[in-house]
Amino acid sequence: MAENTKSNEFHKQQSKEEMKKQLITFALMIIFTILAFLIVGTEMMSKMVAIPLLLVLALIQVGFQFYYFMHLKDKGHGMAAVMIYGGVWAAFLTVMALTLVIWW
Amino acid sequence: MADHSLTPENMPQHPEKATLEGKNKFLGLWFFLGGETVLFASLFGTYLALKNSTAGGPSSQELFGLELVFLMTMLLLTSSLTSVYAMYHMKNNNFKKMMLWLGITGLLGVGFLGCEIYEFYHYIHSFEFTFRSSAFGSAFYTLVGFHGGHVLFGLCWLSALMIRNAKRGLNLYNAPKFNTFSLYWHFIDVVWVFIFTVVYLMGKVG
């Protein structure tokens, strides 16, 4: 029993450090969001630069959300990654097909 | 029936995945999220294809205001963090704090939904921009409304979970349920990141 309590202390410490990382993740996501709104709000750059930049900022945010908030980076998430990336692949094909249809 | 209540002595590190049922719920939810990704992708693709077909009605540049969208983004992003806090307290076997943070998550979700209803109301009354105005209107309300519907479903799910388990405390049976909800809630924020980028910001740029 005593050993179990000790290992629980260890787990608590672990999740505390995990929580710190989550907070940093959150701060970064807020910064990226503000940045994206500033790019559009101040009209600081041309359309050709702004749109790819906005998409990159969105992808980074989604990466944070998946890997840190949803723990995809942790052990035992192999199957979960297969599921979501299968979906992302089909999603990519869908968006490509629907936007290419109207290309010309 | 065996008592599965968690105490600091018998608490596994991951109560949400300690049972086979918990593991299956976890995998099943990720499978579901993969399918949801495809569903939203088809709505995004449709929106991108139809966003310039305004049929003489208002365009995205005339309609959208960034202030409200920014507020909605902050509400949903913060509710994502509060559900992380809830899961943190779940792993530390602190049922009360978990419920408190889940409650805050729910309130932020309600705030988001309120803003969205106001937004749609504003578009319909000030711009006469409805689902039937144009192909752009149909695609816009379908995409954003579907996301709003997911938020509403999440809020119903959350209140059902909280009410049903209010007196049970945390155990190995309901820990996976709370965890699957929090994953779903993060996914809603993932979809919103793409909505505010592709629909509102890119719509404002042109």
Side-chain angles (χ1 to χ4, degrees):
Chain A
M1 195 84 101
E3 201 166 288
N4 211 338
T5 318
K6 210 190 244 170
S7 83
N8 270 312
E9 280 307 306
F10 173 67
H11 291 159
K12 259 194 173 164
Q13 192 57 37
Q14 251 189 343
S15 49
K16 214 174 191 174
E17 275 161 30
E18 179 73 27
M19 200 60 230
K20 224 184 263 170
K21 281 185 203 155
Q22 314 263 37
L23 271 176
I24 296 169
T25 306
F26 178 70
L28 286 172
M29 283 164 76
I30 293 276
I31 291 170
F32 285 134
T33 306
I34 293 174
L35 211 61
F37 275 88
L38 275 181
I39 289 171
V40 177
T42 57
E43 293 172 9
M44 54 165 84
M45 44 187 89
S46 75
K47 199 177 146 179
M48 291 303 282
V49 187
I51 287 180
L53 199 58
L54 289 174
L55 287 174
V56 168
L57 285 174
L59 284 176
I60 296 172
Q61 273 210 51
V62 167
F64 276 135
Q65 191 72 253
F66 276 160
Y67 281 88
Y68 283 88
F69 279 11
M70 294 166 86
H71 300 281
L72 211 54
K73 66 174 171 43
D74 292 358
K75 248 192 234 163
H77 281 66
M79 230 14 222
V82 169
M83 305 281 187
I84 199 73
Y85 280 115
V88 167
W89 173 238
F92 174 73
L93 292 180
T94 310
V95 172
M96 280 300 135
L98 285 168
T99 44
L100 284 177
V101 162
I102 54 148
W103 197 270
W104 57 83
Chain B
M1 211 178 109
D3 181 20
H4 290 300
S5 288
L6 296 178
T7 61
E9 280 74 33
N10 66 14
M11 172 93 177
Q13 190 181 7
H14 291 291
E16 76 278 13
K17 276 182 276 177
T19 61
L20 179 63
E21 193 185 336
K23 287 186 183 116
N24 288 340
K25 282 207 167 93
F26 167 78
L27 258 191
L29 193 97
W30 276 99
F31 187 41
F32 165 72
L33 293 185
E36 288 272 279
T37 311
V38 184
L39 167 78
F40 276 105
S42 51
L43 295 177
F44 271 109
T46 314
Y47 175 81
L48 287 171
L50 298 176
K51 70 175 160 60
N52 295 322
S53 313
T54 53
S59 69
S60 57
Q61 270 121 322
E62 290 158 7
L63 272 176
F64 301 152
L66 289 183
E67 296 83 1
L68 188 69
V69 178
F70 185 72
L71 176 68
M72 287 164 79
T73 305
M74 287 300 145
L75 284 174
L76 210 59
L77 192 58
T78 312
S79 84
S80 215
L81 181 77
T82 56
S83 81
V84 166
Y85 266 108
M87 291 308 106
Y88 170 70
H89 289 301
M90 180 186 83
K91 282 170 191 168
N92 285 341
N93 198 12
N94 193 334
F95 181 69
K96 271 194 183 139
K97 277 197 175 158
M98 179 189 81
M99 290 295 259
L100 173 72
W101 284 104
L102 283 177
I104 297 172
T105 305
L107 287 180
L108 288 165
V110 170
F112 174 87
L113 211 56
C115 289
E116 185 148 277
I117 291 168
Y118 166 76
E119 184 199 355
F120 284 3
Y121 176 86
H122 177 67
Y123 291 162
I124 291 168
H125 285 268
S126 309
F127 291 91
E128 290 186 0
F129 176 69
T130 68
F131 193 81
R132 295 174 12 155
S133 296
S134 59
F136 164 57
S138 307
F140 170 79
Y141 282 115
T142 310
L143 172 59
V144 182
F146 236 84
H147 176 267
H150 274 75
V151 174
L152 182 64
F153 176 79
L155 289 173
C156 295
W157 182 358
L158 177 63
S159 18
L161 265 183
M162 288 181 71
I163 294 167
R164 186 75 185 94
N165 293 293
K167 287 178 186 161
R168 273 182 178 160
L170 196 62
N171 56 39
L172 291 184
Y173 171 67
N174 60 24
K177 291 171 182 269
F178 288 114
N179 190 57
T180 43
F181 166 77
S182 103
L183 285 175
Y184 172 84
W185 195 256
H186 290 311
F187 184 75
I188 287 180
D189 193 49
V190 166
V191 175
W192 180 254
V193 168
F194 280 112
I195 291 186
F196 87 68
T197 304
V198 173
V199 176
Y200 294 99
L201 293 183
M202 277 163 60
K204 207 70 188 162
V205 171

